[in-house]
Amino acid sequence: MPYNNIILTIYGEIIYNYKRNNKIISGICIAIGIYLIYIGIYYNVVSHINLGVVGIFIGLMILSFVPSNLIDIKLYDDSIHYYGEFFEKFIQNNNLNGNAIYIPPYTNLPNGGVFILNEEHFKIHLGNFDEETYKITSGNHSGILITPFPYYKFIKSIEEFSNTSFKSSDLNTTISILSSTLKSQGLIDTIDYDGYDEYDNNEVSNNNNNNNTITITVEDIKLKSCLDLDKKTAGIACPIISSILCSVALTANQLILLEDIKKEGNFVIITVKKMGTIDEYIW
C-alpha cells in the first residue's frame, strides 16, 4: 500500500537523522504514532494501528539510545505521560477489564505480542491470532492484541549489545542484563526477582502453581510517569516495566499473565504468572 510505504520512508529518514535534534524528532514520531493509531481505530484499519505503534516506540527509543548523561529525563517522562494517557483512555473505551497477557514469538506472531482481555475469564486460542487482527473474539468475550511486543526493537538492541538471546537464556541472566543496561542509561537503580527459574522451560507447567509465580522488584525508577500509571497501562506504556515483562516472556517461552504491579516505598513490585507454553494454547 503506497500510503504505508510513505509512512515507513518518513520513519526511516527520522531514524537516520535523529542525532541532529533528538528531542524534536522524538516528539514528531510520537505525534504521528498517536494520530495513526486514532485513525486506525476509528476506521478499523489494522495497518494504521501497527504503524502508529511503531511511530510511538521509535520516538521513545530515540531518547533511550542517547547516552545516559545526555538523556532529558523530563522530556522522556513527558512523552511517556502523554502515551500513557492515550493508552489509558484506549483501555477504558474498549472496556478492557481483564489483565494483560504477554505472548512470546511463535509462527503467527513472529515478534510476540500483548493481549489485553475484556474480562478475567477468556479462552485463548493462539491459532486465531495473527499480525493483521487487533481485536480477538471468543463467544461473547473479546480482547485487544498489540503486536509486536511494546519496545520490541529496544529489547532486541539490548540482546545485540550483550551478545545474548533472551529466548535461550535463563531468567537470572536476562534480569541481570536488563538491570545493568537500564541502570547504565540512568533509568533505574537495580532489578531483582524471586521465583522459579528452570532452563528447560517446557517442564515448568508440570510443577505446582507456586513455581509458576515470579516476583520482580525494580528499585528507584527514575521515570516518574511510570509510577503514576495504573498496572495495565504501565505494562504497555512504561518502557522499563514493558521491557521487563516482554523479556520474561521471551526467556520463559510461555504466556505470562501480569497479576499485579504495586509501589512500596522506593520499589515497584511486579507479580506475574507463567500460564504455559504456546502449544498448550494453540487450539
Side-chain angles (χ1 to χ4, degrees):
M1 188 174 181
Y3 177 80
N4 290 353
N5 291 337
I6 291 171
I7 296 296
L8 289 172
T9 301
I10 292 172
Y11 284 158
E13 287 297 317
I14 285 172
I15 293 171
Y16 179 76
N17 292 289
Y18 83 89
K19 288 184 179 178
R20 298 181 183 180
N21 197 323
N22 65 291
K23 296 179 182 180
I24 293 175
I25 290 175
S26 174
I28 291 171
C29 279
I30 293 168
I32 292 173
I34 290 174
Y35 173 75
L36 287 173
I37 291 176
Y38 174 79
I39 295 297
I41 293 170
Y42 187 83
Y43 291 104
N44 196 26
V45 181
V46 175
S47 61
H48 284 28
I49 296 172
N50 290 339
L51 285 170
V53 170
V54 169
I56 290 171
F57 293 157
I58 288 175
L60 295 176
M61 282 167 57
I62 283 172
L63 292 177
S64 296
F65 290 140
V66 178
S68 58
N69 62 327
L70 298 180
I71 288 179
D72 187 331
I73 293 294
K74 185 180 184 306
L75 176 67
Y76 203 11
D77 238 355
D78 289 344
S79 299
I80 295 164
H81 172 74
Y82 295 133
Y83 179 35
E85 273 192 342
F86 169 81
F87 201 79
E88 200 166 44
K89 290 177 182 176
F90 176 78
I91 289 174
Q92 292 170 356
N93 293 340
N94 285 276
N95 298 315
L96 302 174
N97 301 313
N99 288 347
I101 296 172
Y102 293 75
I103 304 169
Y106 69 107
T107 304
N108 290 21
L109 300 177
N111 296 319
V114 182
F115 187 55
I116 307 175
L117 311 173
N118 73 334
E119 60 177 59
E120 295 297 335
H121 304 289
F122 187 104
K123 291 184 178 180
I124 295 178
H125 302 291
L126 293 178
N128 297 331
F129 287 39
D130 62 61
E131 291 182 298
E132 296 302 317
T133 304
Y134 96 98
K135 188 169 186 178
I136 312 292
T137 58
S138 176
N140 295 324
H141 309 309
S142 64
I144 300 296
L145 173 67
I146 299 172
T147 185
F149 273 148
Y151 304 101
Y152 183 72
K153 294 294 185 183
F154 179 56
I155 295 168
K156 297 303 290 183
S157 71
I158 295 174
E159 288 182 314
E160 291 169 6
F161 179 76
S162 61
N163 196 28
T164 303
S165 169
F166 288 158
K167 195 168 184 178
S168 58
S169 295
D170 58 86
L171 188 58
N172 184 61
T173 300
T174 295
I175 294 296
S176 296
I177 290 171
L178 287 170
S179 182
S180 59
T181 302
L182 294 173
K183 182 174 182 177
S184 71
Q185 294 184 347
L187 299 176
I188 63 163
D189 274 357
T190 59
I191 305 175
D192 201 358
Y193 79 97
D194 181 26
Y196 185 68
D197 185 9
E198 173 60 65
Y199 191 81
D200 185 1
N201 296 302
N202 291 328
E203 296 180 0
V204 173
S205 59
N206 297 324
N207 291 285
N208 61 49
N209 289 335
N210 291 333
N211 284 343
N212 289 333
T213 298
I214 302 172
T215 303
I216 303 159
T217 304
V218 187
E219 181 180 2
D220 196 13
I221 292 180
K222 310 296 183 182
L223 301 175
K224 302 308 177 187
S225 56
C226 287
L227 304 176
D228 297 332
L229 301 172
D230 64 54
K231 68 177 182 180
K232 257 180 298 194
T233 308
I236 303 294
C238 174
I240 297 167
I241 296 174
S242 181
S243 296
I244 292 170
L245 291 168
C246 295
S247 298
V248 169
L250 281 169
T251 296
N253 198 26
Q254 295 194 38
L255 279 69
I256 297 294
L257 174 68
L258 173 58
E259 292 194 322
D260 192 26
I261 297 177
K262 61 183 179 181
K263 290 171 283 188
E264 291 188 1
N266 209 31
F267 299 89
V268 171
I269 301 171
I270 307 165
T271 305
V272 301
K273 182 179 180 180
K274 297 177 182 178
M275 294 177 59
T277 63
I278 294 294
D279 289 344
E280 294 176 61
Y281 291 92
I282 202 69
W283 297 115

